[in-house]
Amino acid sequence: MSATPLLELRGIDKSFGPVQVLRDVTLSVHEGEVTALVGDNGAGKSTLVKCISGIHPTDSGEFLFEGRPVSVNSPRDAAALGIDVVYQDLALCDNLDIVQNMFLGRERSNGLVLDESAMEQMAAETLVSLGIRTVRFLRQHVASLSGGQRQTVAIAKAVLWNSRLVILDEPTAALGVAQTAQVLELVRRLADNGLAVVLISHNMNDVFAISDRIAALYLGQLVAQVRTTDITHAQVVELITSGRSGALGHAEPSALGTGSDATTWGAVR
C-alpha cells in the first residue's frame, strides 16, 4: 500500500442555506483498503459522498487525488478520476439483462450496430476477475435476480469501467445472511485487488468483518479515523452517538453545540 492516500479530503465544509452539514472534514482513503464510513442518521454521510462524487460542490477545503489537488465539480469529473458510487437503490433497470445494465449509457458498437459479443466478453471477464459465481447467465433480466445478485452486478458494473475508488452505500441492507456473506466477500476482494473502497454501513458486524479503517462522522464532523484493529465495537458506538470515546473524538463533548443547533443538525443526513 502506498503511503500517499488515493483520496484525501482536507477541511471540507458544506452548507445548504443556513444549515452547515459538513464542518472541517478531513478524510484519507488508501488503495487496497476498505474504509468504513459510519455515523448516525443526520451525521452527513450522504452529503460527504455526494461531495466526493461531484454531485454537490464543496464550500471550502482541499480535494487531493494521488497527492495532487484536483477539482471535482461534477459526476463526470469524479468518473474521470476513477471514482464510482454504488447507491443503495443500485440504479439498475429491471427490464434489462445483466450485460445491458453493465453497459447502460456506455454501449460498445461495431459500426452502426451494438457489439454484443464484445460487451458479453467484457462483462464475463469482469465477473470472473471478481470471483462472482452466483450469476450464471449474462442475459438474465435483473428483475429475476436476488438482492445479493443485484448487488454484485452493481459492483461489477462499477469495476468494469476501471474504477480506482468504489463507494458502497449500505450494500448489505435488506439482504439475508448468506447473501450478506457473499457481498462482503466481494467487497473485501475489491480491496485485495488493489482498489480503494469506502463502505457506508450501520451494521457494526459487517464493518468489523471487512474494514481496515473506520471513519466516524458525528453531526457533520469527522471525529475519528482509526485502524479497525485499534478500536472496539463499543468505542465506535460511542463515537457515533456522542462524538467522543475516551481519548478519541472531540476534546469536549459540547464542542458542536447543544439545543436548537443540535436539533437542526439532526435533521440532515
Side-chain angles (χ1 to χ4, degrees):
M1 185 193 71
S2 171
T4 301
L6 178 68
L7 170 69
E8 187 174 6
L9 306 179
R10 297 177 181 172
I12 297 297
D13 292 324
K14 178 62 183 176
S15 297
F16 294 99
V19 180
Q20 189 170 6
V21 185
L22 299 176
R23 302 188 185 190
D24 195 29
V25 172
T26 296
L27 173 71
S28 60
V29 180
H30 292 263
E31 290 177 293
E33 289 190 349
V34 177
T35 300
L37 182 62
V38 300
D40 207 351
N41 291 333
K45 301 187 302 297
S46 295
T47 300
L48 180 58
V49 168
K50 289 176 180 178
C51 288
I52 295 173
S53 61
I55 295 175
H56 292 326
T58 59
D59 297 334
S60 60
E62 293 182 276
F63 194 121
L64 289 84
F65 200 81
E66 293 185 303
R68 298 178 292 105
V70 295
S71 296
V72 179
N73 300 312
S74 69
R76 187 182 297 273
D77 292 340
L81 292 172
I83 299 173
D84 212 320
V85 183
V86 180
Y87 293 100
Q88 196 167 342
D89 61 8
L90 302 182
L92 298 176
C93 297
D94 286 349
N95 62 320
L96 301 180
D97 63 37
I98 293 172
V99 175
Q100 290 170 328
N101 266 283
M102 290 179 68
F103 283 87
L104 187 61
R106 297 173 173 176
E107 292 83 358
R108 293 296 177 92
S109 61
N110 186 2
L112 297 177
V113 298
L114 294 179
D115 194 340
E116 299 287 355
S117 61
M119 290 189 289
E120 280 193 20
Q121 181 177 352
M122 289 179 66
E125 289 174 351
T126 301
L127 294 173
V128 169
S129 70
L130 294 174
I132 296 175
R133 302 179 183 86
T134 58
V135 175
R136 302 185 182 281
F137 180 49
L138 289 174
R139 290 301 182 177
Q140 185 175 356
H141 277 201
V142 165
S144 66
L145 299 178
S146 68
Q149 289 173 322
R150 287 170 180 250
Q151 189 65 248
T152 59
V153 169
I155 294 173
K157 178 181 178 180
V159 173
L160 175 64
W161 300 107
N162 297 319
S163 298
R164 301 186 62 189
L165 167 61
V166 179
I167 302 173
L168 304 170
D169 185 7
E170 298 283 357
T172 61
L175 296 184
V177 174
Q179 292 179 342
T180 293
Q182 292 170 356
V183 171
L184 291 180
E185 181 182 353
L186 175 56
V187 174
R188 185 63 253 176
R189 195 176 298 124
L190 293 179
D192 292 342
N193 287 346
L195 276 70
V197 181
V198 174
L199 171 70
I200 301 172
S201 181
H202 285 94
N203 189 314
M204 289 300 105
N205 291 329
D206 292 356
V207 166
F208 276 88
I210 64 169
S211 71
D212 299 286
R213 301 175 193 258
I214 298 175
L217 273 172
Y218 177 72
L219 299 183
Q221 285 191 298
L222 197 83
V223 293
Q225 181 172 2
V226 297
R227 287 199 169 276
T228 305
T229 53
D230 293 337
I231 196 169
T232 67
H233 188 292
Q235 286 177 306
V236 174
V237 173
E238 288 181 347
L239 288 170
I240 291 173
T241 56
S242 67
R244 175 183 172 87
S245 178
L248 293 173
H250 290 290
E252 298 180 7
S254 61
L256 289 173
T258 57
S260 60
D261 183 56
T263 302
T264 301
W265 277 78
V268 181
R269 180 167 183 256

